[in-house]
């Protein structure tokens, strides 16, 4: 598929900022649902101001970090365990953001930063891999200044279910989907610590459609249309699956 065709498949009026970025750049760096779209959806409700220091935890190939730095004039520490910093630095330099995006290799439980260093913390498509631990938000939030915001967005459920998976999703279910949770679950999970005040906990409106559009474009580009994740999203049609968005403020 040529790049122009891919750009057409990835047109989405919901994400006007992301429309300025190459579809090829996004697809080639993909590690799950479109991180640039998710970053734009998160920042609709999470204000970022020029000059802020922001941690992007679980940044993957740093697409979200590049987007946030370019769009909001912030400095971003792009932290990931699996993608090497030199790979991400190459993408940062190509984007003209050397000195504003700092790639770091870090494990989520051993972050190499001073407490209170960041004005804001974000995690896009990754927090559920490490943040379901009852104690994690207490560790993570300490890297934000008092009053600083913490924002996450990732795959999630409409509600909590006594038994997983729902019958219509049995053919597609993977064991690690057990880390997907509802907005209400995340609100309780964070607020019970008393360390943060949750300002937003919602399902991104029609987030499942964005997720499906992205998967279908990636599948067509790879020459393997109709792969299992797209089939799952079609079968579910938003009943159970979507994108969960949570924004909180660190208490002083």
């Amino acid at each position: 598929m040529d790049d122009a065709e891919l750009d057409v498949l990835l047109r989405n009026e919901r994400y006007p900022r992301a429309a300025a970025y190459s579809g090829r750049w996004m697809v080639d760096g993909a590690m799950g649902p479109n991180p640039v779209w998710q970053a734009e959806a998160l920042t609709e409700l999470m204000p970022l101001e020029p000059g802020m220091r922001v941690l992007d935890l679980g940044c993957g190939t740093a697409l979200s970090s590049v987007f946030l730095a370019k769009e909001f004039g912030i400095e971003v520490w792009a932290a990931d365990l699996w993608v090497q910093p030199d790979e991400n630095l190459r993408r940062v330099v190509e984007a003209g953001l050397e000195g504003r995006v700092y790639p770091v290799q870090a494990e989520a439980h051993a972050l190499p930063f001073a407490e209170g260093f960041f004005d804001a913390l974000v995690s896009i498509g990754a927090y559920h891999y490490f943040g379901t631990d009852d104690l994690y938000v207490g560790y993570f939030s300490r890297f934000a200044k008092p009053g600083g915001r913490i924002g996450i967005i990732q795959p999630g459920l409409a509600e909590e279910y006594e038994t997983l998976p729902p019958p219509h999703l049995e053919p597609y279910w993977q064991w690690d989907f057990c880390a997907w949770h509802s907005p209400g679950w995340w609100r309780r999970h964070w607020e019970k610590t008393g360390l943060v005040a949750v300002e937003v906990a919602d399902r991104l409106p029609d987030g499942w459609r964005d997720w499906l559009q992205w998967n279908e474009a990636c599948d067509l580009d790879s020459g393997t249309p109709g792969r299992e994740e797209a089939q799952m999203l079609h079968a579910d049609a938003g009943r159970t699956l979507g994108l969960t968005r949570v924004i909180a403020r660190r208490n002083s």
Side-chain angles (χ1 to χ4, degrees):
M1 178 180 295
D2 68 34
D3 293 357
E5 291 175 300
L6 191 57
D7 285 339
V8 170
L9 287 175
L10 290 174
R11 284 180 186 159
N12 189 322
E13 292 182 359
R14 177 178 174 81
Y15 303 112
R17 289 179 181 266
Y21 293 76
S22 159
R24 173 63 56 204
W25 178 76
M26 292 190 285
V27 168
D28 285 352
M31 297 176 69
N34 189 325
V36 179
W37 288 358
Q38 288 186 85
E40 185 163 353
L42 184 64
T43 54
E44 287 173 350
L45 300 178
M46 181 178 175
L48 297 176
E49 298 175 1
M52 278 185 166
R53 294 196 296 248
V54 176
L55 172 61
D56 183 4
L57 182 58
C59 68
T61 57
L63 304 191
S64 54
S65 305
V66 166
F67 172 82
L68 292 171
K70 187 169 285 191
E71 294 298 314
F72 297 98
I74 60 177
E75 291 185 277
V76 182
W77 277 254
D80 198 81
L81 177 61
W82 303 114
V83 180
Q84 294 298 314
D86 55 346
E87 296 177 35
N88 280 341
L89 181 60
R90 174 179 54 79
R91 278 180 281 271
V92 168
V93 171
E94 289 172 353
L97 292 170
E98 189 173 11
R100 288 176 52 197
V101 177
Y102 310 102
V104 178
Q105 186 170 36
E107 200 280 322
H109 298 84
L111 297 176
F113 306 112
E115 293 188 17
F117 180 74
F118 295 103
D119 297 292
L121 313 173
V122 301
S123 185
I124 294 161
Y127 191 85
H128 56 294
Y129 290 118
F130 42 79
T132 57
D133 182 325
D134 285 346
L135 304 180
Y136 189 75
V137 74
Y139 171 73
F140 187 48
S141 63
R142 71 177 65 169
F143 297 100
K145 296 176 180 177
R149 284 189 172 85
I150 303 163
I152 64 173
I153 185 168
Q154 67 232 344
L157 306 178
E159 59 184 274
E160 297 301 303
Y161 298 87
E162 296 238 349
T163 303
L164 287 172
H168 67 287
L169 293 179
E170 283 184 7
Y172 313 103
W173 200 258
Q174 304 293 322
W175 75 268
D176 56 350
F177 295 174
C178 68
W180 293 351
H181 287 289
S182 65
W185 187 93
W186 283 108
R187 179 183 288 277
R188 290 188 298 274
H189 184 62
W190 281 11
E191 286 192 334
K192 68 186 179 184
T193 66
L195 298 173
V196 300
V198 175
E199 299 174 327
V200 177
D202 69 356
R203 295 184 82 206
L204 186 68
D206 283 330
W208 75 273
R209 293 184 189 275
D210 300 335
W211 185 0
L212 176 59
Q213 179 186 355
W214 171 250
N215 271 54
E216 289 186 326
C218 291
D219 291 350
L220 285 169
D221 181 62
S222 67
T224 54
R227 297 177 70 181
E228 190 169 86
E229 192 164 305
Q231 292 177 30
M232 177 179 72
L233 293 166
H234 271 295
D236 183 65
R239 282 184 285 171
T240 303
L241 304 175
L243 297 174
T244 295
R245 175 174 56 182
V246 187
I247 301 168
R249 184 187 294 271
R250 180 189 167 184
N251 294 331
S252 56

